[in-house]
Amino acid sequence: MLVLEDVNVYYGAIHALKGISLEVNQGEIVTLIGSNGAGKSTSLKTISGLLRPKTGRITFKGADLATIAPQSIVAQGISQVPEGRRVFANMTVIENLELGAYLRKDKAGIKDDMKKVYELFPRLLERKSQLAGTLSGGEQQMLAMGRALMSKPQLLLLDEPSMGLAPILVNQIFSIIKEINAIGTTILLVEQNAHMALSIANRAYVLETGKIVLSGDAKELAASEEVRKAYLGG
């Protein structure tokens, strides 16, 4: 579904992604793990069109993404939940969700998807008229995910969904990620909580200083001594 081939990205003189190649197949949950500054978020921003690769190819269902605008990438079926949630604080929950569907014209479909978001996140239904800035961190994460789902993505990019959340909420968010995948959305997940990410993913890539150093079946990587020592605290 998604293929990155030898992608190089720079921030000015800094070489942030060094020849990254990866793929995500339809129906999978694939995770990128690695320490801070490894290039995980940069990878997602490059797929979304927020950053441009200097060299390399990015294709989604065979179409080249490297030169098209971010809103066109959303229209193709890729949506990103950004790190730090980035909800529109002075707008209500329902207004944030409606903004997620801004490229869509199918009113009946939008209404159906709003209902599905409320089924996934009942808390958002309770808070639908509340300003997003007054929600708790966990509720804002739910809202950011719901907003991304309103664009009806085929591929959902999730950037650090567990950041800053209490352990009980982390479990809840990860169980919802599995549910979103089970109803047909492919997921590329960037996550510092490597243990949780590997527990729900099919496959994983390990990034270090802008390079992929390991890849494979998520359960096998979780059992590997190298990954355990570096990312799983043991």
Side-chain angles (χ1 to χ4, degrees):
M1 191 182 225
L2 176 76
V3 180
L4 276 68
E5 296 171 82
D6 198 20
V7 169
N8 287 276
V9 174
Y10 289 77
Y11 289 109
I14 298 163
H15 196 175
L17 293 184
K18 302 166 184 167
I20 294 269
S21 294
L22 61 84
E23 59 185 52
V24 180
N25 301 309
Q26 190 158 352
E28 286 188 307
I29 298 177
V30 173
T31 187
L32 301 182
I33 62 170
S35 54
N36 260 338
K40 305 185 303 294
S41 294
T42 301
S43 300
L44 293 195
K45 286 177 184 165
T46 305
I47 294 163
S48 295
L50 300 171
L51 292 170
R52 293 292 180 203
K54 192 162 187 180
T55 59
R57 285 188 80 216
I58 302 172
T59 53
F60 179 62
K61 298 190 302 180
D64 191 347
L65 295 187
T67 55
I68 66 173
Q71 64 270 29
S72 303
I73 291 174
V74 174
Q76 297 242 5
I78 299 177
S79 193
Q80 181 168 349
V81 180
E83 183 182 350
R85 305 181 262 282
R86 306 278 181 90
V87 296
F88 298 102
N90 296 322
M91 299 173 82
T92 64
V93 165
I94 197 162
E95 286 167 341
N96 269 268
L97 293 174
E98 285 167 349
L99 268 176
Y102 81 105
L103 287 174
R104 295 174 61 182
K105 303 283 183 278
D106 56 325
K107 284 188 177 170
I110 291 169
K111 200 174 170 184
D112 282 350
D113 286 336
M114 188 80 80
K115 199 173 150 196
K116 284 179 195 160
V117 165
Y118 288 146
E119 282 166 8
L120 276 171
F121 304 106
R123 188 74 59 85
L124 296 183
L125 181 58
E126 291 166 24
R127 305 269 195 272
K128 68 178 184 180
S129 304
Q130 200 168 313
L131 291 180
T134 66
L135 300 176
S136 71
E139 289 163 351
Q140 287 189 15
Q141 185 60 53
M142 292 172 190
L143 179 55
M145 288 167 73
R147 181 183 61 191
L149 289 171
M150 287 302 295
S151 71
K152 217 176 173 60
Q154 296 163 55
L155 174 64
L156 184 63
L157 310 177
L158 285 166
D159 197 353
E160 303 284 7
S162 78
M163 187 185 274
L165 300 186
I168 190 162
L169 274 172
V170 172
N171 290 334
Q172 195 181 342
I173 291 290
F174 272 84
S175 109
I176 291 164
I177 292 169
K178 284 203 302 195
E179 214 174 315
I180 290 166
N181 178 245
I183 55 180
T185 306
T186 304
I187 290 170
L188 179 58
L189 167 67
V190 155
E191 182 54 65
Q192 265 205 289
N193 186 334
H195 181 74
M196 288 297 288
L198 292 170
S199 76
I200 67 164
N202 303 102
R203 291 185 305 106
Y205 292 88
V206 180
L207 276 168
E208 271 177 24
T209 58
K211 290 180 183 164
I212 289 169
V213 293
L214 280 171
S215 65
D217 177 86
K219 285 178 181 52
E220 284 172 16
L221 283 178
S224 119
E225 198 171 330
E226 195 177 338
V227 172
R228 276 214 315 274
K229 274 185 179 163
Y231 305 104
L232 304 176

